[in-house]
Amino acid sequence: MRTPLIAGNWKMNGSLALVDAFAQALVTTRLPARVEVALMVPFPYLGAAARAFRDAPVAVGAQTLSDQPAGAFTGEVSGAMLADLGARYVLVGHSERRSLFGEDDAGVLARVQAALANGLTPVLCLGETLEGREAGRTEAVVLGQLAAVFDALGPDERARLVLAYEPVWAIGTGRTATPEQAQAVHAAIRARLADYAPALAEALKILYGGSMKAANAGELLAQPDIDGGLVGGASLQVDDFLAICQSAG
Ligand code: 13P
């Protein structure tokens, strides 16, 4: 049985005050025992968040990392640094990184490998654009992004990932995929994972992301192949995010 994971992605938002607001709310809120919770915060807040959530059942993660271990790469942040600060997760291949910062499949693979080399759990993001969906290419795009990473990894490495299906047309648009649309893609991803190994398909978490909020989380999370959420905008509101966590329990 897969334990649901609700992960917030603050993107380039938030503040130390928001870290504190989450920490204070977590003192008085009892999260469901069978739900894992994580917050992917901007680099500068990682250390503070890891300290603030030390006694809370909330893990901390980053939103990207360098594909290089160290060296003259001004402005970059390595996997070792993230681990040093207490990060457990790191998003890799978010559609904003792919489209705005030129991360291609090879760059995504290199970042997954850098994360694994430093003991981090990569949350590999997959998703089609509206154009891709309307052209009937949803599965081809998503399964192609999956293969670009999974074909290059060994069985033990594959087992250490979390996947997130985030249709690009649903991100930040308020236009959520219907539970049926999301479930269909999640099932296709899981079927492809079974080609690598049936046990991998059974074990790997596949999160849904794209305009998930308290009002629609319950019906999305009730789908058999949706194992949690990757939440953008609603993770900036303590009450909204904790309500989504509750609905996963
Ligand atoms: P929204 O929840 O704001 O649509 O963002 C989703 C997302 O991109 C999470 O990584």
Side-chain angles (χ1 to χ4, degrees):
M1 198 56 193
R2 296 178 295 272
T3 309
L5 168 64
I6 304 295
N9 173 12
W10 284 7
K11 309 193 179 184
M12 197 173 75
N13 297 296
S15 59
L16 282 178
L18 188 60
V19 172
D20 283 347
F22 267 93
Q24 279 173 26
L26 288 166
V27 172
T28 52
T29 310
R30 185 185 289 264
L31 293 169
R34 256 205 81 256
V35 177
E36 293 172 16
V37 179
L39 281 175
M40 315 306 194
V41 301
F43 292 139
Y45 304 140
L46 267 174
R51 280 191 297 279
F53 306 149
R54 192 171 20 219
D55 298 323
V58 177
V60 169
Q63 300 168 13
T64 185
L65 78 167
S66 173
D67 58 354
Q68 298 295 319
F73 301 103
T74 301
E76 290 290 276
V77 175
S78 71
M81 293 170 186
L82 301 182
D84 214 6
L85 284 173
R88 168 150 165 231
Y89 293 98
V90 59
L91 300 179
V92 182
H94 190 281
S95 65
E96 288 149 19
R97 300 300 313 175
R98 293 181 193 257
S99 67
L100 302 174
F101 300 98
E103 286 183 17
D104 59 9
D105 281 339
V108 170
L109 169 62
R111 284 172 177 79
V112 165
Q113 289 170 324
L116 292 173
N118 287 286
L120 301 164
T121 298
V123 179
L124 173 64
C125 303
L126 315 168
E128 82 288 2
T129 60
L130 184 59
E131 202 181 20
R133 173 161 285 261
E134 287 176 345
R137 300 195 63 251
T138 298
E139 283 194 19
V141 170
V142 169
L143 299 181
Q145 291 168 338
L146 178 72
V149 172
F150 273 50
D151 284 356
L153 299 180
D156 294 348
E157 292 174 317
R158 290 182 194 126
R160 291 173 54 200
L161 270 75
V162 169
L163 299 175
Y165 169 56
E166 297 206 299
V168 177
W169 47 272
I171 294 178
T173 59
R175 184 179 164 194
T176 317
T178 65
E180 295 73 25
Q181 283 174 321
Q183 165 59 25
V185 180
H186 282 234
I189 295 170
R190 202 174 304 284
R192 182 53 55 89
L193 292 175
D195 294 340
Y196 293 101
L200 183 72
E202 207 39 55
L204 237 56
K205 293 191 218 299
I206 310 175
L207 315 183
Y208 167 80
S211 299
M212 184 182 269
K213 26 187 168 315
N216 60 28
E219 55 179 6
L220 286 160
L221 296 170
Q223 299 299 312
D225 288 300
I226 299 185
D227 308 312
L230 184 53
V231 184
S235 73
L236 297 168
Q237 309 291 334
V238 177
D239 292 349
D240 289 355
F241 184 71
L242 295 182
I244 293 172
C245 296
Q246 299 295 353
S247 66

